[in-house]
Amino acid sequence: RTAPTQPQPNQVCCHHFGQCCLVFCGVLHRCQGYIKARMKSEEKRRTRFHSGHVPFSGIKTYVDPDTYEDPTQAVEEFAKEIDPSYICIERVIGAGEFGEVCSGRLRLPGRMDIPVAIKTLKGGYSEQQRRDFLREASIMGQFNCTNIIRLEGVVTNSRPVMIVVEYMENGALDSFLRTRDGQFTVLQLVGMLRGIAVGMTYLSDMGYVHRDLAARNILVDKSLVCKVSDFGMSRVLEEDTEAAYTATGGKIPIRWTAPEAIAYGKFSTASDVWSYGIVMWEVMSYGERPYWEMSNQDVILSIEEGYRLPAPMGCPVTLHQLMLHCWQKDAGQRPCFTDVLSFLDKLIISPGSLLTLATDTQR
Ligand SMILES: *[C@@H]1O[C@H](CO)[C@@H](O)[C@H](O)[C@H]1NC(C)=O
């Protein structure tokens, strides 16, 4: 397993804001706090005090569970142990590589019961499988954002081993949109994209690079709130049927991945931004497959030659321009998630900006 790239998204962000730094001194200030937070965090990692909290700035930094000698310790630190008697499993909703995924309810003492999804680890697992399974929980448990799937807790002290997360009534965003083709207003679609951008801004602020951002890895709740899910990187990519092996041996979802990440394995917040542009395209086209039936090799070559996906039918020109901005060859030229979010906010505040549709609807 290759070591996950340690991203420095806000430094990239600072770089982007270069000429505007004086105007965006709030951002600059945040960046400085962030750099300090990182340094502090590195220090903590070295001294093995894994609190993950940086008291003086209030900014948390993601801690890679792989930096723990004993991964069980990471789970203990970031995930709450749940007494299995509080969990009521109702039905099977899917099958993961590790075991069944069920829906049910969680009733913690003194709290109202809430609908949850329960991932189980099937019996006969190896120690390595147990680690890989719980790794996602140690990552998810570090996040606290309305647009990131929320970890309720884990069951590790009894069998079966379980991961309990909030229940998302409408399932994965790609299939959700495919079954509701044309049924939303542009503003509703932009609202979904905004939610994903909030989640990604949060992740990039924490220094977490997702690597597999795609509509299939976004979940939708009953109020259409979109939440980023599928954490765990290499394991997630092993499971992702879209991921293909590249010449360098990595397993990568080609259609969603920035060229520098495909070519040199250079994953960063900027490569997540490229993927975000693809997610925008998926959303505006109601779950169309990016690059349709083109082969992975043709996608790579076309991108290299400067080809970019055209605007989906009915897509405002401003949104397609944002996509193209996310798909700049030079990673340093792409916007950071903060930029994406503020751009979307401007569109939402003045919806007139969404009325001009891109006329280029050629397929
Ligand atoms: C999560 O974030 C909210 C604000 O977004 C805050 O009120 C809450 O205390 C946080 N929870 C934890 C456990 O940090």
Side-chain angles (χ1 to χ4, degrees):
R1 173 178 297 169
T2 52
T5 324
Q6 282 301 322
Q8 310 204 324
N10 268 348
Q11 292 173 3
V12 172
C13 176
C14 267
H15 172 74
H16 273 298
F17 273 114
Q19 61 275 51
C20 318
C21 250
L22 288 174
V23 181
F24 287 91
C25 52
V27 174
L28 180 63
H29 184 73
R30 217 154 54 89
C31 289
Q32 287 169 338
Y34 176 81
I35 292 160
K36 271 191 232 160
R38 276 205 76 79
M39 284 161 55
K40 187 83 176 176
S41 160
E42 292 299 331
E43 201 177 289
K44 278 189 178 173
R45 219 170 294 183
R46 275 198 301 275
T47 52
R48 294 260 153 207
F49 291 118
H50 295 280
S51 89
H53 295 271
V54 181
F56 64 90
S57 69
I59 298 168
K60 271 169 73 182
T61 305
Y62 164 71
V63 180
D64 185 339
D66 290 348
T67 61
Y68 284 75
E69 263 161 59
D70 175 9
T72 315
Q73 225 186 321
V75 181
E76 273 171 26
E77 177 157 347
F78 298 120
K80 195 170 56 180
E81 181 74 22
I82 299 177
D83 183 325
S85 68
Y86 300 147
I87 301 167
C88 171
I89 295 180
E90 286 168 349
R91 59 192 180 90
V92 178
I93 53 173
E97 186 197 335
F98 291 96
E100 283 169 344
V101 182
C102 305
S103 65
R105 305 196 72 86
L106 171 67
R107 176 172 279 158
L108 294 174
R111 263 178 59 184
M112 285 227 309
D113 69 328
I114 54 162
V116 288
I118 304 139
K119 294 186 186 187
T120 58
L121 178 60
K122 58 176 171 255
Y125 51 82
S126 66
E127 190 49 36
Q128 186 60 46
Q129 282 172 319
R130 181 181 190 273
R131 259 180 219 185
D132 287 348
F133 178 72
L134 289 172
R135 191 169 184 278
E136 183 174 24
S138 344
I139 296 171
M140 241 190 296
Q142 297 183 45
F143 306 139
N144 172 29
C145 170
T146 34
N147 296 98
I148 294 175
I149 194 86
R150 180 182 147 76
L151 176 75
E152 293 297 338
V154 292
V155 176
T156 62
N157 295 336
S158 63
R159 302 293 165 265
V161 173
M162 296 186 251
I163 297 177
V164 182
V165 299
E166 66 180 314
Y167 185 62
M168 300 294 281
E169 290 79 357
N170 281 310
L173 179 59
D174 62 338
S175 49
F176 173 71
L177 289 172
R178 276 175 212 141
T179 57
R180 285 165 183 77
D181 194 3
Q183 294 177 21
F184 298 111
T185 63
V186 166
L187 206 51
Q188 279 177 305
L189 297 176
V190 176
M192 295 178 199
L193 292 174
R194 182 189 187 274
I196 302 165
V198 169
M200 290 310 297
T201 303
Y202 179 89
L203 292 180
S204 65
D205 282 352
M206 277 192 75
Y208 181 83
V209 177
H210 191 287
R211 294 175 175 232
D212 196 8
L213 180 59
R216 64 183 170 279
N217 292 332
I218 303 291
L219 295 172
V220 187
D221 79 359
K222 60 177 184 301
S223 334
L224 292 191
V225 176
C226 289
K227 308 199 183 201
V228 181
S229 85
D230 284 78
F231 302 100
M233 291 172 293
S234 49
R235 182 185 73 66
V236 170
L237 290 172
E238 282 304 318
E239 272 186 72
D240 192 334
T241 52
E242 285 292 350
Y245 287 98
T246 61
T248 49
K251 209 180 177 204
I252 288 173
I254 301 292
R255 286 155 212 275
W256 283 264
T257 306
E260 75 279 4
I262 295 173
Y264 326 111
K266 200 174 177 329
F267 286 91
S268 63
T269 290
S271 65
D272 277 353
V273 166
W274 178 291
S275 309
Y276 180 84
I278 303 290
V279 172
M280 288 185 69
W281 190 89
E282 290 183 279
V283 168
M284 299 315 294
S285 64
Y286 284 90
E288 182 89 72
R289 181 172 171 74
Y291 311 96
W292 305 279
E293 298 316 313
M294 278 170 74
S295 70
N296 281 341
Q297 199 51 41
D298 284 347
V299 170
I300 293 170
L301 291 174
S302 306
I303 292 297
E304 181 60 35
E305 286 165 8
Y307 172 85
R308 294 296 183 270
L309 283 166
M313 243 188 302
C315 177
V317 71
T318 46
L319 288 178
H320 188 235
Q321 280 164 351
L322 179 56
M323 293 177 204
L324 294 173
H325 204 32
C326 294
W327 299 330
Q328 295 200 71
K329 186 180 170 60
D330 179 358
Q333 295 295 310
R334 293 174 207 150
C336 62
F337 280 112
T338 318
D339 299 337
V340 170
L341 186 55
S342 64
F343 185 82
L344 293 177
D345 279 335
K346 278 183 199 130
L347 298 185
I348 292 168
I349 289 167
S350 51
S353 60
L354 295 167
L355 292 177
T356 311
L357 303 185
T359 46
D360 178 19
T361 51
Q362 90 188 47
R363 297 272 157 119

